[in-house]
Amino acid sequence: QMVRMPVTGNDTVLDAIGQLGGLTTVSDPRQVWVARSAGLNEPDQVLPVDWNGLTCRGRAETNYQLLPGDRLFVKAYRMVHTDVALARMLAPVERILGITLLGSSTYTGVYNAAN
């Protein structure tokens, strides 16, 4: 999911996630980071966020101030990602098998009703 939010220049990581209602049940709090473009001919910055440090221990070192153009990323748990990928692969097979089962049961019902 991607959400565009205006940045006032005073917003931090906690402010941004708080405005979205917090992390979701599929969000992995160990996989939060800010991506910041450093400009032309400069390496981009990836700033890891210690979510548990911020929320459980009151550590503010990784509560970065967000600048215009920053991207805040929160990855989903690996098993959620695997489940979604598997569902995408199996959905067409399930649809074909469902249509086959429906056709078979319809045929059987019509055949039994005729006899």
Side-chain angles (χ1 to χ4, degrees):
Q1 179 180 1
M2 185 166 68
V3 177
R4 184 181 173 127
M5 297 176 52
V7 176
T8 63
N10 296 322
D11 300 315
T12 64
V13 171
L14 274 177
D15 294 332
I17 292 177
Q19 287 178 19
L20 297 174
L23 296 181
T24 66
T25 56
V26 300
S27 300
D28 185 351
R30 297 167 297 166
Q31 296 288 323
V32 180
W33 69 92
V34 175
R36 180 171 289 163
S37 178
L40 293 174
N41 302 324
E42 296 287 330
D44 293 338
Q45 294 178 312
V46 176
L47 308 169
V49 175
D50 179 8
W51 183 254
N52 287 331
L54 279 173
T55 58
C56 297
R57 297 189 312 272
R59 305 288 308 234
E61 293 89 3
T62 61
N63 192 21
Y64 303 109
Q65 183 175 355
L66 299 176
L67 304 175
D70 281 357
R71 304 289 188 264
L72 177 60
F73 290 94
V74 180
K75 241 180 145 176
Y77 282 108
R78 184 177 296 258
M79 287 303 293
V80 171
H81 177 72
T82 303
D83 180 55
V84 169
L86 190 61
R88 286 180 181 166
M89 289 187 324
L90 293 179
V93 175
E94 288 181 26
R95 185 168 291 146
I96 291 169
L97 292 177
I99 291 170
T100 303
L101 180 62
L102 178 63
S104 173
S105 62
T106 302
Y107 175 79
T108 302
V110 170
Y111 180 77
N112 288 339
N115 289 335

